[in-house]
Amino acid sequence: ITIEKATTDNADVNAEKDEDLFPNLIKVDYNDKYCGFDPNEDFDGATTAELADFIGDNNKFFLPVFKLMKERKKKGTFNFSAFLCPPAYFAYRKMTGTAIMSLIIQLALWLPSVIYFLGSMISKYNMPDNDLVAFISMIDINSPLFMAIYNVGWVLGYVFLFYCATMANHIYYRFAVKRIKFLKSKNALTEKNIKRFGRTSNAGLTLMIIVYAFIAFLITFATAFVS
C-alpha cells in the first residue's frame, strides 16, 4: 500500500467517523461560488443563487450560516462585526431601519452613563451657567435610585450587544429573503436593483461612523455649548 493510498483511506475513515459523530454536519465547498450547495435550493422563497448574488462579498460566510439555520432550525449564530457596533454593521448591510432602531436603543440604554459622565464633569470642573448644566446638577448621580438605573442600563447595553451579535445573521437572512421576494414579485430582480438594495454600502458605514463621532463630540462638550 502506498503512502498516498494510506492517507486517502485514513481521510475516508475520519470522514465516516465525523458523519457518525455529527450526522447533521453541513459540508461546505469553498471553491464553489455557492459553497457546494444546490443553486436552486429554496430558502423561504429565495434560491441559493439569488441569495449569493444579493449578498455579494462574503457570501461564503453567509451561505453556510443560512444553510445551518435552515437545516437545524437555528436562529442564533455569532457575528463579531455586529457585536462591535450593531448600527454600523446594519448600515453596512443596507438595513437602514434596523440600523436606526439599534442606534436609538443603544443611546437609550447608555443615557444613564452619559448623565453620570456629565454629572461627574460638572462636580469636578467649573462649567458654564446654562440650562443643561442646571438640569444635570439637579440629578443626584450618587443616589441609590440613580445608581440602580445606571447599573441596569449598563448591563442591558451589553445584553443588547450580545443579542445583536447572535441574531444579526438571522435578521440579515430575513432581510435578504424579503428583499428578493419583493423584487421578484415586481419582476425587478435585476443586477441593477440587486446592487441598489443588496450587497454592502460603504457610504452607510461611513455615515454611521460619523454619527457616532458626532454623538461622542456632543457628549464630551455638551455642557460647554448649550446656552
Side-chain angles (χ1 to χ4, degrees), residues 10-215:
N10 287 335
D12 291 340
V13 170
N14 289 334
E16 290 176 2
K17 288 181 179 178
D18 287 342
E19 289 180 359
D20 290 338
L21 291 172
F22 306 103
N24 295 322
L25 190 67
I26 294 175
K27 295 182 179 179
V28 180
D29 179 8
Y30 288 110
N31 294 316
D32 179 60
K33 179 181 179 180
Y34 307 119
C35 300
F37 306 143
D38 178 6
N40 298 312
E41 182 178 353
D42 180 68
F43 286 81
D44 296 316
T47 66
T48 303
E50 289 167 346
L51 282 169
D53 214 18
F54 187 89
I55 295 165
D57 294 338
N58 216 17
N59 69 318
K60 291 182 179 179
F61 166 77
F62 281 109
L63 286 181
V65 169
F66 292 170
K67 180 76 170 179
L68 181 70
M69 289 191 293
K70 177 186 175 182
E71 295 292 329
R72 300 187 185 178
K73 308 296 181 184
K74 181 179 181 181
K75 294 182 180 180
T77 54
F78 195 78
N79 187 312
F80 185 68
S81 298
F83 173 74
L84 290 178
C85 185
Y89 177 77
F90 292 134
Y92 179 65
R93 280 288 162 186
K94 296 187 179 180
M95 293 183 278
T96 307
T98 307
I100 293 172
M101 182 61 65
S102 62
L103 178 63
I104 292 172
I105 291 173
Q106 273 201 315
L107 290 177
L109 292 175
W110 294 119
L111 183 59
S113 297
V114 172
I115 294 173
Y116 185 84
F117 169 75
L118 294 177
S120 299
M121 286 183 61
I122 291 170
S123 64
K124 290 180 181 179
Y125 305 103
N126 247 341
M127 290 295 172
D129 186 15
N130 57 46
D131 293 339
L132 180 61
V133 171
F135 175 75
I136 297 295
S137 299
M138 289 171 57
I139 302 173
D140 184 2
I141 61 174
N142 295 311
S143 69
L145 176 60
F146 181 83
M147 290 309 299
I149 296 173
Y150 169 85
N151 289 327
V152 169
W154 188 85
V155 171
L156 289 181
Y158 282 101
V159 169
F160 181 68
L161 285 179
F162 277 103
Y163 171 81
C164 289
T166 55
M167 294 303 294
N169 293 332
H170 180 71
I171 293 171
Y172 182 56
Y173 169 74
R174 300 307 309 171
F175 169 81
V177 168
K178 184 177 180 180
R179 285 289 191 185
I180 290 170
K181 289 171 67 176
F182 173 77
L183 292 174
K184 287 167 71 173
S185 71
K186 300 295 183 181
N187 198 26
L189 192 62
T190 62
E191 180 68 15
K192 180 181 178 181
N193 284 332
I194 287 173
K195 285 182 178 179
R196 180 184 175 188
F197 295 106
R199 301 183 183 169
T200 57
S201 172
N202 289 323
L205 174 63
T206 302
L207 179 62
M208 193 56 67
I209 291 174
I210 292 173
V211 169
Y212 262 89
F214 181 68
I215 291 172

